Amino acid sequence: MRTLKQLAVDALSNLPMQGQMTIAVDAEARAILREWMLAARHGIQTPAAMSPPAAVATPPPTNAPQTVEEKLEWLRSKAQNWKAAKALGTLRDTMVFATGTPHARLMLVGEAPGYEEELQQEPFVGPAGQKLTQILAAMGIQRSEVYISNICKFRPSMGPQQNTANRPPSEAEIAACLPIIQAEIRAISPACIVCLGGTAARGLLGHAASVASQRGKWFETQGIPTRVTYHPSYLLRNDTITARRAVWEDMLAVMQKLSMNISEKQRRYFQ
């Protein structure tokens, strides 16, 4: 039987997925709910005395998403008309969700769709996407074997004359779309996450530091090992041995974390 605490925690956790970031409660209720949310986050069980009557513990609806595919399809439909993002008025209308397998062990997260991504409605299909595909190929991985998404699901707007120009998402745009990518991570539960660039790291990890100061280390996102490296577009602008070696060192660390076989040739790249 689900307890009152569990029901409340579930309801509060689902509010961001409905585009609602706040609720009105009095001070006493806020203190209780905060305690419950913190306890749930740390895996503390609810005492039996908190269990509600049987009538309150209603089972979930039979049409609730069950498989990973169903959860992601539900998320895609929610993201299409995401109220928090639409309300900003600074994002374009076409939603670009994600690509790859929902059963991926490796999840890659970028910043936002660009011109080509909006056109094809798929992340990382422009020049930066081609560079990412090359990096994955060097790792012995195909794009279809990973899950690729973005912090922001809509191309940031630059006005009616934008054409092919792109810009990174603002802090408000990142915050508005963050619940979606967080829900994607919960649905997929990958073994490892790579933040491609500073925007992804700022969104998932809350770090405003430079990529250079964060790369080479392991962090955690919802308990999942997370690596920060340069965005593929950085390599397009800085095609140097130093930059390429830095990204490859991060990818070797990811391969090791995933217990992938690493050949001597792969180990000796850029040496």
Side-chain angles (χ1 to χ4, degrees):
M1 177 185 300
R2 295 184 64 75
T3 66
L4 177 59
K5 174 182 175 181
Q6 291 168 327
L7 290 169
V9 167
D10 287 350
L12 290 172
S13 299
N14 286 331
L15 285 178
M17 294 310 305
Q18 301 166 14
Q20 184 175 344
M21 308 305 294
T22 60
I23 57 172
V25 294
D26 60 30
E28 182 179 358
R30 182 166 58 250
I32 294 172
L33 292 174
R34 183 177 185 275
E35 179 182 348
W36 286 3
M37 290 295 289
L38 289 174
R41 194 171 298 167
H42 292 87
I44 301 173
Q45 299 299 315
T46 303
M50 295 299 295
S51 297
V56 177
T58 56
T62 56
N63 62 346
Q66 299 295 329
T67 67
V68 177
E69 290 83 358
E70 289 173 342
K71 290 176 182 178
L72 291 177
E73 188 57 37
W74 183 83
L75 280 172
R76 182 188 293 269
S77 67
K78 289 291 183 182
Q80 183 67 57
N81 297 294
W82 191 245
K83 292 180 180 179
K86 297 287 187 180
L88 294 174
T90 59
L91 296 169
R92 290 167 65 91
D93 292 332
T94 302
M95 191 269 294
V96 180
F97 193 66
T99 188
T101 174
H103 302 285
R105 299 184 65 233
L106 174 60
M107 180 174 182
L108 301 119
V109 181
E111 58 178 33
Y115 171 76
E116 291 291 341
E117 287 74 21
E118 183 184 61
L119 201 62
Q120 300 185 43
Q121 295 185 40
E122 183 177 325
F124 284 94
V125 293
Q130 294 168 18
K131 176 62 70 173
L132 177 60
T133 299
Q134 293 171 6
I135 294 171
L136 291 172
M139 298 170 68
I141 302 174
Q142 298 181 25
R143 279 177 65 105
S144 60
E145 297 177 289
V146 300
Y147 187 88
I148 306 174
S149 192
N150 278 315
I151 286 287
C152 188
K153 298 303 183 186
F154 302 85
R155 183 183 174 201
S157 175
M158 298 175 69
Q161 304 302 318
Q162 182 167 357
N163 296 320
T164 61
N166 300 309
R167 69 167 175 83
S170 67
E171 295 296 330
E173 291 162 349
I174 293 171
C177 292
L178 191 58
I180 304 174
I181 190 71
Q182 290 174 332
E184 285 178 87
I185 293 171
R186 288 195 297 272
I188 295 167
S189 189
C192 183
I193 297 172
V194 175
C195 292
L196 298 170
T199 300
R202 192 160 65 252
L204 291 187
L205 303 173
H207 297 173
S210 68
V211 172
S213 66
Q214 296 182 77
R215 61 159 302 274
K217 307 171 186 176
W218 283 106
F219 302 97
E220 281 195 356
T221 304
Q222 298 181 27
I224 299 169
T226 302
R227 197 81 170 188
V228 178
T229 195
Y230 293 110
H231 194 281
S233 63
Y234 176 84
L235 298 181
L236 297 178
R237 300 189 304 270
N238 301 271
D239 189 18
T240 65
I241 289 293
T242 300
R244 284 182 283 159
R245 181 186 290 119
V247 172
W248 186 244
E249 287 173 353
D250 291 324
M251 291 308 177
L252 283 178
V254 169
M255 293 173 70
Q256 186 173 5
K257 180 69 71 173
L258 294 173
S259 300
M260 294 174 58
N261 291 326
I262 303 176
S263 69
E264 192 61 29
K265 179 181 178 181
Q266 288 172 319
R267 291 186 187 279
R268 296 176 67 85
Y269 279 168
F270 305 112
Q271 289 187 0

